[in-house]
């Protein structure tokens, strides 16, 4: 296998960025501003995903293309960035190369600097056999699969003659009381009660049962106790059953086991745990329990000052506090790693990472939310407006901003959903 | 197995419509206007598809939800229509029932009247083993698969170090010189030359080779010789290689065989033949060579005056002419079958089908088309404007009209494509 590098002009340094999420994309854009760098951005998907809105794709509120943009198109006219659709198989920090590509056709590419930004995935806490029955919500494919399962459940229930099977089809269990679980559960309850309720003849979608299961004592532990209570109340008003201090001990095709209790449900969705992308395991460096790379104050990997880890794949501690896996943290860390590379190339000292907490938000159903920034706490409709404004603002691409805004206006005015398509996995006739 | 029928009020007749395409949807809407009828609409997909624009989904110009609407949502507030997502397995014309549902859980439903509108699919002329290498373009899933293959081919070519493999990745073969093949080939050439050309570093998408293969002596045989020539010239200007009188004798993962000639291409798409949905084979009635049901003048199936076949699944002859498989013909036949059912229930005599030829159109690339209605023939930009106007007008759903119009305006102004997403078939991590 040959080691290749892009045709670099003399004096130019080669930076490999792995991952086109918030952290990687921000890093690549920042790095591209330096004419003395050439950036190779690798991602196993061709699109950057705006993950905070993914639950809306899963619940037929937005279309996949509303929340995703081609990574390649972000660098149109930027000559010193090259984007490659490639799965990274191996990273050798000692010899400074990355191996990517399909089986038997791997290619090794050397680097001067590395930015590891390959993100996180759902963790089933060692029970990966639950995944087929309880998909998580991290990729567009998973969102489309969850959408297919939700909409198909109502369709199958409409056809079902056996009342018991019909009830199982109209039971939905969401595991995990963090923002993903809360938003997903709220949106399922909402779609059943406001959108689908008019369109069925035999079943009443209003009777759908949505159960949100959280192992800890309360929902949304990252928020204040008060906001967490408010979110719980809002969810219950939407008809969601909230089960805290309830640990899932089994998941299968027919439902969920909570210790001795059985919840029969044909649809189970997983938003419980996250762990770093599997790639971290090949690095041979210190990881935390979630598989994240522990980094130094300048975000480089200990012992490898030219290699950085940022975003959800990094375990970043500032003054004893672990930085949360949120989009603003990913953007800030991606930016600082890029700046530190530029500063190193320019012979300047590096900067330490400082986290500006932009707060957290979560929506509950159609027009309620909770939001918290420092001492400021918002709830209800006002919080929802703030959520809406910030999410439209931070969406990448002018066009996505316009279409998402139109889509939301439309759905707000008419209680319709723009993306109620069930598409099969197999395209063959 | 029990025979079920919906809870009918006394005197109400039960009509089953199989298929929610142009013909079936039109029939169901027309039938719903009669209070003495109850309509059950069965389709194996939950959406009505606007097939004339499907090639734009395949070439990243439109999103799946732009060209599809939930069938169910078409009957919101219509109490005498019930929609079911169901695959019909068996039709018994003698005993007047339909069997649908999953394996082992089939249900038989009785009817007073039947409208068979289950459409057509691609025909590989007995070589179904070619399908994995050359997907057709009849469903949303196929469109997404073709999109994935087109976009992935460019991505893989960008990564490829071997020049020969790179060339194979940038070769595209479209089989079939009818409207589907012409529109697909033109759009692939267009996307390579205007959209993708700015976004790659190693390959030049402009060098992509698009070959359109037609077995007959000329493209678009349904159009006049003159328009066919014009379309050929327009395609060649876009860079498409047009190969007429060329019969495909083999398709595999590496390319296409045309007799002694080999075209190496990693992407092959199929738009060559159509045949009726397989369901017609279980009917035990006379079919034509394409598997279509031969119907009488009032569109009923010979010997079964209460059963009708309409749209692409029907072989309809008027004054010795076979009606073409176009959307207007499907709509007209669906409407007449519904009217004849209503007239029968009201004790009135049936009407014979008369075909109003609304002409045909095909686009070539981004802003050219050909159109033909009776003596009127249009070409170039004017024809494209007419095509655009008519397609936006006939799209179902106000919202789809708006979004498609905005999408086209955007792409016309900026040469961008809104739906350049590659999504995998498997959702698992």
């Amino acid at each position: 296998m040959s080691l290749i590098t892009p045709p670099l002009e003399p004096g130019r340094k080669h930076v490999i960025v792995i991952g086109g999420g918030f952290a990687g994309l921000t890093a690549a854009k920042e790095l591209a501003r330096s004419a003395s760098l050439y950036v190779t951005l690798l991602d196993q998907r061709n699109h950057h995903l705006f993950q905070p809105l993914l639950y809306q794709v899963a619940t037929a509120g937005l279309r996949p293309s509303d929340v995703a943009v081609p990574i390649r198109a972000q660098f149109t006219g930027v000559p010193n960035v090259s984007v490659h659709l490639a799965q990274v198989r191996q990273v050798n920090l000692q010899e400074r190369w990355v191996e990517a590509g399909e089986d038997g056709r791997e290619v090794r590419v050397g680097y001067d600097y590395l930015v590891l930004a390959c993100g996180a995935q759902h963790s089933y806490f060692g029970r990966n056999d639950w995944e087929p029955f309880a998909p998580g919500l991290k990729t567009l494919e998973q969102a489309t699969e969850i959408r297919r399962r939700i909409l198909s459940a109502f369709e199958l229930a409409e056809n079902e003659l056996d009342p018991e099977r019909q009830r199982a089809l109209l039971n939905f269990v969401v595991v995990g009381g963090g923002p993903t679980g809360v938003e997903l559960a709220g949106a399922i309850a909402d779609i059943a009660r406001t959108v689908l309720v008019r369109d069925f003849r035999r079943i009443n979608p209003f009777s759908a049962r949505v159960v949100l299961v959280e192992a800890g004592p309360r929902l949304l532990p990252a928020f204040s106790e008060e906001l967490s209570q408010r979110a719980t109340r809002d969810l219950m008003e939407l008809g969601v059953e909230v089960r805290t201090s309830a640990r899932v001990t089994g998941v299968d095709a027919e439902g969920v086991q909570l210790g001795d209790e059985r919840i029969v449900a044909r649809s189970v969705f997983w938003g419980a745990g996250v762990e770093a992308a599997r790639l971290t395991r090949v690095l041979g460096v210190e990881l935390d329990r979630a598989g994240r790379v522990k980094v130094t104050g300048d975000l480089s990997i200990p012992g490898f000052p030219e290699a950085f880890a940022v975003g959800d794949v990094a375990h970043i501690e500032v003054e004893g506090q672990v930085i949360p896996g949120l989009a603003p943290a990913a953007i800030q860390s991606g930016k600082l790693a890029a700046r530190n590379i530029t500063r190193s190339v320019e012979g300047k000292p590096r900067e330490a990472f400082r986290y500006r907490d932009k707060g957290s938000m979560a929506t509950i159903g159609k027009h309620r939310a909770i939001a918290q920034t420092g001492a400021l706490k918002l709830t209800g409709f006002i919080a929802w407006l703030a959520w809406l404004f910030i999410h439209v603002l931070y969406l990448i691409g002018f066009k996505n901003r316009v279409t998402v805004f139109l889509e939301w206006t439309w759905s707000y005015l008419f209680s319709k959903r723009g993306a109620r398509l069930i598409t099969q996995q197999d395209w063959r006739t």
Side-chain angles (χ1 to χ4, degrees), chain A residues 166-217:
Chain A
Q166 198 176 51
R167 217 168 304 122
L169 283 163
L170 293 177
N171 284 357
F172 298 86
V173 175
V174 178
V175 182
T180 301
V182 166
E183 292 182 329
L184 196 54
I188 296 172
D190 178 61
I191 192 178
R193 280 157 181 72
T194 65
V195 183
L196 298 177
V197 78
R198 298 169 298 198
D199 287 351
F200 287 84
R201 300 287 175 273
R202 292 188 61 242
I203 57 161
N204 178 2
F206 206 94
S207 68
R209 184 180 166 210
V210 183
V211 184
L212 177 60
V213 178
E214 163 61 34

Side-chain angles (χ1 to χ4, degrees), chain A residues 92-151:
Chain A
N92 192 316
L93 294 172
Q94 281 79 20
E95 298 176 10
R96 297 190 194 173
W97 52 254
V98 157
E99 191 176 291
E102 301 307 303
D103 308 320
R105 307 212 6 99
E106 292 91 352
V107 172
R108 277 192 192 164
V109 190
Y111 63 78
D112 297 301
Y113 292 94
L114 175 72
V115 179
L116 194 69
C118 44
Q121 59 189 28
H122 279 294
S123 159
Y124 291 84
F125 309 115
R127 293 303 302 265
N128 288 338
D129 54 315
W130 292 351
E131 190 182 21
F133 312 116
L137 184 59
K138 281 281 177 191
T139 66
L140 271 188
E141 289 83 359
Q142 289 168 339
T144 319
E145 173 65 14
I146 291 179
R147 183 179 75 187
R148 190 182 72 74
R149 292 188 184 204
I150 295 173
L151 297 175

Side-chain angles (χ1 to χ4, degrees), chain A residues 17-25 41-44 47-49 71 117-118:
Chain A
V17 178
I18 303 178
F22 285 115
L25 196 61
L41 175 54
L42 306 173
D43 199 293
Q44 54 184 318
H47 48 268
H48 166 78
L49 186 61
I71 296 173
C118 44

